[in-house]
Amino acid sequence: MRPLRYAINVTLDGCVHHEAGLPPDEEFMRFWTAEMERSDAVIYGRVTYQMMESAWRRPVTGVWPDWMREWEIPFAEAIDRTKKYVVSSTLSDVDWDAELVHGDLGDAVRMLKQEPGAGLSVGGVTLPLALAELGLIDEYIFVVHPVVAGHGPTLLGGLGARVPLELVGREEFRSGVVVQRYRVAGG
């Protein structure tokens, strides 16, 4: 069974807004590239899918935009070639090597987890909360930024029950960012 991993940037006060943390640097982007390459596919909700597509999809010209720094290109290439599953009740069509998830969310994700492969990743805020509620996330990767945001959406805000975790890895970046990897305890 493929594990489902939830990896997210989070500030010290729990904010998970995509602009609340430190600006990316080379070390940070190497980490996210490696995380993307660990997964056979990603699962996104509509908002995250559209945000990631607008930033990281290879242009039709095949040339990455001028704003993209050389050390961001490996991440862009990794996400561009990764299979994507999109959970949305409003989209009728997706592309960018993506397909819509239909039917019951829990059943659909359980089926994806049953397929052979190295693993699945989920990103965003709302969808991971629903998957955590269903007990479908196997590993949590919190990329903790040394910032207090003071506002914004919070990590798994509204989760109905505790999820006991065990620390399985920790990594520190020069910027002060700390990656903490947790596995569901007893899982």
Side-chain angles (χ1 to χ4, degrees):
M1 178 184 297
R2 294 193 285 188
L4 178 59
R5 301 179 192 102
Y6 175 38
I8 187 83
N9 291 305
V10 60
T11 64
L12 290 172
D13 57 343
C15 179
V16 289
H17 188 277
H18 70 279
E19 294 178 339
L22 298 177
D25 62 16
E26 272 187 78
E27 185 178 34
F28 185 73
M29 291 307 292
R30 274 194 310 273
F31 165 80
W32 281 111
T33 301
E35 279 303 305
M36 185 60 59
E37 291 173 340
R38 286 178 69 204
S39 298
D40 306 306
V42 296
I43 307 170
Y44 291 141
R46 179 191 55 82
V47 171
T48 302
Y49 168 76
Q50 289 177 328
M51 179 181 67
M52 298 303 271
E53 182 184 31
S54 70
W56 301 108
R57 184 177 187 157
R58 184 182 298 273
V60 293
T61 63
V63 178
W64 294 108
D66 290 340
W67 64 261
M68 195 176 289
R69 293 165 285 211
E70 187 70 28
W71 43 266
E72 291 175 306
I73 292 174
F75 176 80
E77 290 173 340
I79 193 171
D80 192 61
R81 69 177 168 259
T82 298
K83 175 71 178 171
K84 296 147 198 88
Y85 294 97
V86 182
V87 177
S88 173
S89 61
T90 58
L91 293 176
S92 58
D93 190 39
V94 291
D95 56 4
W96 192 39
D97 197 16
E99 66 182 72
L100 288 168
V101 173
H102 297 285
D104 179 81
L105 175 63
D107 290 343
V109 172
R110 282 183 203 90
M111 286 178 57
L112 290 172
K113 289 177 70 169
Q114 291 297 325
E115 293 178 8
L120 299 164
S121 294
V122 63
V125 178
T126 306
L127 178 60
L129 174 61
L131 295 173
E133 289 282 6
L134 292 169
L136 293 174
I137 299 176
D138 302 294
E139 186 178 335
Y140 293 82
I141 302 146
F142 301 132
V143 182
V144 183
H145 293 246
V147 173
V148 176
H151 66 282
T154 57
L155 180 64
L156 299 170
L159 187 65
R162 290 173 32 138
V163 178
L165 303 173
E166 70 177 284
L167 183 68
V168 294
R170 187 176 186 284
E171 181 180 355
E172 293 184 32
F173 296 163
R174 289 183 304 276
S175 63
V177 168
V178 177
V179 176
Q180 299 173 123
R181 293 180 186 276
Y182 295 91
R183 184 174 37 226
V184 174

